[in-house]
Amino acid sequence: MHTVVVGTSGVTASDVLAVARGGARVELSEEAVAALAAARGIVDQLAAKPDPVYGVSTGFGALATRHISQELRAQLQRNIVRSHAAGMGPRVEREVVRALMFLRLKTVCSGHTGVRPEVAQTMADVLNAGITPVVHEYGSLGCSGDLAPLSHCALTLMGEGDAEGPDGEVRPAGALLAEHGIAPVELREKEGLALLNGTDGMLGMLVMALADLDRLYTSADVTAALSLEALLGTDKVLAPELHAIRPHPGQGASAANMLAVLKGSELTGHHQDDAPRVQDAYSVRCAPQVAGAGRDTLAHARLVAERELASAVDNPVVLPDGRVESNGNFHGAPVAYVLDFLAIAAADLASIAERRTDRLLDKNRSHGLPPFLADDAGVDSGLMIAQYTQAALVSEMKRLAVPASADSIPSSAMQEDHVSMGWSAARKLRTAVDNLTRVLAIELYAATRGVELREGLNPAPATQAIIEALRAAGVQGPGPDRFLAPDLAAADTFLRDGELVAAVEKVTGPLA
């Protein structure tokens, strides 16, 4: 099994994906263990002094003015975990919780938190045992970190609360730890706070969304090319010299992808035949501009994620010179903004895909295709209601594009008076990514049917490869009406699992 070694300088996106989705094992580097011990030594020295230090010998948030005596400090750390594990609603996905825990371990191993090495090792042991704390949908405001979600994870480390075992069954965390020979941690000064105070949940979801959207933007270039082909559009608008004079990198990449898919097609360039068009509609002609802008948004979001993956987010932090200082690095604004930005871009990509699908189904705009791509229009409804489903998905995505980060509700008796709502931005982005996959699957289904109905003209070799792969995956071609949901579900799986891009690249070589 693949192993990810966590050091002091952060982790990569591929590390997060390996642990969250691939079940990779986690190990602490010798450097990380040494840094943990050194930072803990500083915290122990401060804890022994009579002067109050935030997070070490004081309360938290609006209660930070109270100095806590030594005999109550272990109870203080337990209490913050128990009281902050206040999430509600449905459970979040296993991959999200694993990313959350792994990224918190990443910050702990930086040597800036003051957590003991044995606590970090327990975090790794829980991940490696396949134990997943029960974390709920609601509870994080994205400021002071993802407090409630991280608290539910810390509760598991203490042997309290509920968790899911590697068999998928939810049971008391203490029993699961015992079965795997893991001793519950007894938290000491600063450790409870350090386990809760980070942007790890929203960051983990950002990293996974970026991976999914990378695949979907390439898929969207393919489905746009198929729609252009089915509509007998022109590929002249994809010429590199046209995109060079507006040099947005994403736009150029999308145009190049579409051109590669369409190479060798006999269906393109018929826009001036029997019913001449001076230009194709925007949804066809401007596909690279819209998808390209989304690609450039992905590039910006990836830069933010890389910076965050290299960060140590905690409050207070242990500095190399021995100071323990309060700070505001836990604020989720940098991550929240790009999460919202990605939801906007995804909604627009879905919107233009739906417009192309609608054009394929409308006999007045499809340039010779039968109404709704039906076998016997009137007796058959064809793909009429598939477009309804697509429109419903797009409508929800437009609602999900409303930014969460523009909102803030004060908390902690006005001590935390401006919050990021980054967790909420991440949660709605996950839904948007799922919906985008479905929208593109419907365009794929409609566009391939449209191509197949163009008798007497050969599609591009890449298009033919897609159609053959779809049929092998159980997605049926044109014909009389049938139960449509299974076909759409199979098309969704085909796209979601990367089979669409794989089929194309066997012909075109790697796409951007």
XYZ file of all heavy atoms in Angstrom, residues 163-214:
368
model
N -17.660 6.612 15.696
C -16.816 6.584 14.504
C -17.206 5.384 13.654
O -17.834 4.431 14.134
C -15.339 6.520 14.877
N -16.817 5.444 12.397
C -17.063 4.343 11.475
C -15.814 3.487 11.377
O -14.712 4.002 11.172
C -17.432 4.898 10.095
C -17.680 3.837 9.039
C -17.874 4.454 7.670
O -18.883 5.157 7.475
O -17.000 4.241 6.798
N -15.979 2.190 11.536
C -14.845 1.287 11.403
C -14.536 0.989 9.946
O -15.272 1.392 9.037
N -13.450 0.286 9.680
C -13.096 -0.061 8.299
C -14.146 -0.925 7.610
O -14.166 -1.007 6.381
C -11.767 -0.808 8.451
C -11.687 -1.221 9.878
C -12.465 -0.210 10.653
N -15.033 -1.536 8.395
C -16.108 -2.350 7.819
C -17.342 -1.519 7.467
O -18.340 -2.055 6.971
C -16.507 -3.463 8.784
C -16.974 -2.926 10.144
O -16.950 -1.685 10.355
O -17.342 -3.749 11.008
N -17.285 -0.202 7.720
C -18.402 0.673 7.405
C -19.440 0.790 8.494
O -20.407 1.532 8.356
N -19.261 0.083 9.601
C -20.231 0.112 10.699
C -19.860 1.213 11.684
O -18.693 1.355 12.067
C -20.260 -1.235 11.416
C -21.299 -1.318 12.527
C -21.290 -2.658 13.244
O -20.662 -3.608 12.705
O -21.896 -2.766 14.324
N -20.854 1.991 12.119
C -20.644 3.061 13.097
C -20.804 2.486 14.495
O -21.821 1.862 14.809
C -21.633 4.224 12.875
C -21.497 5.261 13.986
C -21.402 4.867 11.519
N -19.778 2.699 15.326
C -19.788 2.182 16.695
C -19.101 3.174 17.619
O -18.485 4.139 17.147
C -19.069 0.827 16.747
C -19.852 -0.280 16.070
C -19.193 -1.634 16.250
N -17.987 -1.789 15.454
C -16.886 -2.397 15.866
N -16.808 -2.888 17.094
N -15.845 -2.528 15.073
N -19.154 2.967 18.929
C -18.436 3.851 19.852
C -16.942 3.888 19.526
O -16.318 2.844 19.288
C -18.709 3.232 21.222
C -20.011 2.533 21.058
C -19.995 1.996 19.661
N -16.389 5.093 19.512
C -14.986 5.257 19.118
C -14.044 4.499 20.046
O -13.040 3.935 19.600
C -14.632 6.743 19.100
N -14.351 4.471 21.350
C -13.476 3.790 22.302
C -13.309 2.316 21.970
O -12.197 1.769 22.040
N -14.403 1.682 21.578
C -14.344 0.262 21.231
C -13.522 0.046 19.966
O -12.737 -0.908 19.869
C -15.761 -0.286 21.042
N -13.664 0.933 18.992
C -12.900 0.814 17.750
C -11.406 0.985 18.003
O -10.575 0.240 17.463
C -13.380 1.844 16.731
C -14.677 1.517 15.989
C -15.176 2.725 15.220
C -14.471 0.337 15.049
N -11.051 1.962 18.831
C -9.634 2.157 19.156
C -9.069 0.912 19.831
O -7.958 0.459 19.493
C -9.455 3.383 20.061
C -9.784 4.756 19.479
C -9.458 5.848 20.498
C -9.036 5.024 18.185
N -9.828 0.371 20.774
C -9.353 -0.808 21.501
C -9.136 -1.995 20.562
O -8.153 -2.736 20.698
C -10.351 -1.163 22.601
N -10.033 -2.182 19.615
C -9.905 -3.291 18.663
C -8.622 -3.196 17.836
O -8.071 -4.212 17.414
C -11.111 -3.316 17.728
C -12.380 -3.839 18.379
C -13.545 -3.799 17.419
O -13.307 -3.643 16.201
O -14.691 -3.914 17.891
N -8.152 -1.977 17.611
C -6.959 -1.774 16.801
C -5.725 -1.473 17.645
O -4.683 -1.062 17.113
C -7.201 -0.645 15.791
C -8.169 -1.021 14.706
N -9.539 -0.925 14.865
C -7.972 -1.534 13.460
C -10.130 -1.336 13.759
N -9.205 -1.713 12.895
N -5.833 -1.678 18.960
C -4.684 -1.496 19.834
C -4.217 -0.068 19.958
O -3.027 0.190 20.191
N -5.141 0.889 19.822
C -4.800 2.308 19.906
C -5.279 2.852 21.245
O -6.467 2.765 21.575
C -5.447 3.101 18.760
C -4.999 2.543 17.401
C -5.112 4.586 18.861
C -5.749 3.140 16.217
N -4.359 3.405 22.022
C -4.724 3.976 23.323
C -5.288 5.385 23.126
O -4.722 6.187 22.385
C -3.492 4.045 24.227
N -6.418 5.709 23.761
C -6.951 7.073 23.675
C -5.940 8.072 24.226
O -5.183 7.766 25.142
C -8.210 7.026 24.542
C -8.563 5.578 24.646
C -7.266 4.835 24.603
N -5.918 9.267 23.671
C -4.980 10.286 24.135
C -5.542 11.001 25.354
O -6.752 11.192 25.485
C -4.666 11.314 23.027
C -3.968 10.659 21.857
C -5.924 12.038 22.571
N -4.647 11.366 26.256
C -4.980 12.223 27.391
C -4.404 13.595 27.076
O -3.190 13.812 27.146
C -4.373 11.663 28.674
C -4.943 10.324 29.108
C -6.332 10.466 29.706
O -6.716 11.597 30.074
O -7.034 9.437 29.794
N -5.266 14.521 26.693
C -4.805 15.821 26.218
C -4.190 16.651 27.337
O -4.674 16.649 28.479
C -5.963 16.586 25.584
C -6.602 15.929 24.345
C -7.796 16.742 23.876
C -5.576 15.792 23.230
N -3.134 17.363 26.984
C -2.471 18.284 27.915
C -2.561 19.702 27.378
O -3.251 19.977 26.395
C -1.020 17.834 28.119
C -0.927 16.532 28.928
C 0.443 15.918 28.945
N 1.503 16.868 29.268
C 2.796 16.561 29.333
N 3.187 15.305 29.096
N 3.702 17.462 29.632
N -1.873 20.636 28.057
C -1.976 22.046 27.700
C -1.815 22.276 26.192
O -0.953 21.693 25.564
C -0.902 22.867 28.430
C -1.081 22.962 29.926
C -0.295 21.903 30.683
O 0.107 20.906 30.035
O -0.086 22.067 31.897
N -2.678 23.108 25.670
C -2.663 23.569 24.279
C -3.177 22.541 23.268
O -3.631 22.898 22.174
C -1.229 24.002 23.896
C -0.999 24.413 22.434
C -1.336 25.858 22.167
C -0.900 26.331 20.786
N -1.383 25.551 19.663
N -3.173 21.250 23.628
C -3.417 20.217 22.621
C -4.861 20.176 22.134
O -5.103 19.986 20.930
C -2.997 18.853 23.169
C -1.490 18.746 23.313
C -1.026 17.416 23.870
O -1.805 16.751 24.583
O 0.132 17.054 23.603
N -5.828 20.351 23.011
C -7.211 20.359 22.561
C -7.442 21.471 21.557
O -8.016 21.249 20.478
N -6.971 22.655 21.878
C -7.125 23.801 20.988
C -6.408 23.563 19.664
O -6.932 23.860 18.585
C -6.583 25.055 21.669
C -6.761 26.383 20.925
C -8.238 26.678 20.706
C -6.098 27.512 21.697
N -5.219 23.004 19.708
C -4.433 22.792 18.488
C -5.090 21.796 17.547
O -4.864 21.857 16.336
C -3.031 22.313 18.856
N -5.883 20.887 18.066
C -6.540 19.901 17.214
C -7.774 20.453 16.512
O -8.299 19.812 15.600
C -6.938 18.680 18.042
C -5.785 17.845 18.621
C -6.333 16.729 19.492
C -4.901 17.284 17.512
N -8.219 21.643 16.910
C -9.494 22.169 16.410
C -9.358 23.367 15.492
O -10.310 23.729 14.797
C -10.395 22.613 17.587
C -10.493 21.723 18.816
C -11.521 22.311 19.775
C -10.854 20.308 18.427
N -8.190 24.010 15.482
C -8.096 25.383 15.010
C -7.477 25.473 13.619
O -6.401 26.039 13.453
C -7.257 26.191 16.010
C -7.806 27.586 16.195
O -8.462 28.116 15.315
N -7.526 28.170 17.349
N -8.147 24.935 12.594
C -7.567 24.992 11.260
C -8.612 24.974 10.160
O -9.781 24.663 10.382
N -8.160 25.295 8.963
C -9.034 25.353 7.785
C -9.040 24.019 7.039
O -9.244 23.971 5.825
C -8.542 26.461 6.832
O -7.154 26.229 6.531
C -8.670 27.833 7.473
N -8.825 22.941 7.743
C -8.527 21.655 7.115
C -9.690 21.054 6.349
O -9.491 20.427 5.301
C -8.046 20.678 8.199
C -6.931 21.277 9.023
O -5.835 21.448 8.485
O -7.178 21.622 10.198
N -10.907 21.210 6.837
C -12.051 20.645 6.134
C -12.290 21.333 4.807
O -12.441 20.686 3.765
N -12.332 22.650 4.831
C -12.579 23.385 3.584
C -11.426 23.181 2.598
O -11.635 23.082 1.378
C -12.840 24.859 3.861
C -11.693 25.636 4.447
S -12.138 27.364 4.835
C -12.704 27.193 6.520
N -10.195 23.086 3.120
C -9.047 22.863 2.237
C -9.103 21.477 1.609
O -8.848 21.310 0.410
C -7.741 23.046 3.012
C -6.455 22.742 2.248
C -6.337 23.614 1.006
C -5.239 22.926 3.153
N -9.414 20.462 2.393
C -9.516 19.117 1.846
C -10.558 19.037 0.742
O -10.334 18.407 -0.306
N -11.699 19.674 0.963
C -12.742 19.658 -0.061
C -12.320 20.446 -1.297
O -12.689 20.095 -2.428
C -14.058 20.174 0.526
C -14.714 19.165 1.461
S -16.356 19.653 2.052
C -15.906 20.674 3.466
N -11.542 21.524 -1.113
C -11.017 22.271 -2.253
C -10.084 21.397 -3.090
O -10.193 21.356 -4.324
C -10.283 23.523 -1.770
C -9.513 24.314 -2.837
C -10.454 24.799 -3.954
C -8.767 25.489 -2.210
N -9.184 20.696 -2.430
C -8.235 19.847 -3.151
C -8.973 18.781 -3.965
O -8.646 18.531 -5.138
C -7.245 19.193 -2.167
C -6.425 18.104 -2.843
C -6.316 20.251 -1.570
N -9.978 18.164 -3.370
C -10.716 17.121 -4.091
C -11.557 17.705 -5.222
O -11.663 17.110 -6.305
C -11.568 16.316 -3.104
C -10.716 15.433 -2.196
S -11.667 14.351 -1.106
C -12.204 15.507 0.148
N -12.132 18.891 -5.000
C -12.906 19.537 -6.062
C -12.020 19.899 -7.245
O -12.424 19.754 -8.407
C -13.606 20.781 -5.522
N -10.804 20.354 -6.958
C -9.878 20.697 -8.044
C -9.558 19.460 -8.886
O -9.506 19.541 -10.123
C -8.601 21.299 -7.474
C -8.710 22.738 -6.955
C -7.454 23.116 -6.178
C -8.929 23.708 -8.101
N -9.349 18.335 -8.233
C -9.067 17.101 -8.971
C -10.254 16.709 -9.843
O -10.089 16.309 -11.008
C -8.726 15.979 -8.000
N -11.455 16.819 -9.299
C -12.652 16.461 -10.058
C -12.890 17.430 -11.215
O -13.244 17.022 -12.327
C -13.874 16.437 -9.140
C -13.795 15.348 -8.085
O -13.059 14.363 -8.302
O -14.452 15.487 -7.041
N -12.695 18.720 -10.946
C -12.951 19.725 -11.977
C -11.917 19.668 -13.091
O -12.228 19.991 -14.243
C -13.009 21.120 -11.349
C -14.272 21.385 -10.516
C -14.116 22.666 -9.703
C -15.506 21.482 -11.409
N -10.697 19.267 -12.789
C -9.708 19.051 -13.852
C -10.261 18.083 -14.896
O -10.174 18.322 -16.106
C -8.418 18.475 -13.255
C -7.416 19.551 -12.873
O -7.556 20.689 -13.357
O -6.503 19.252 -12.092
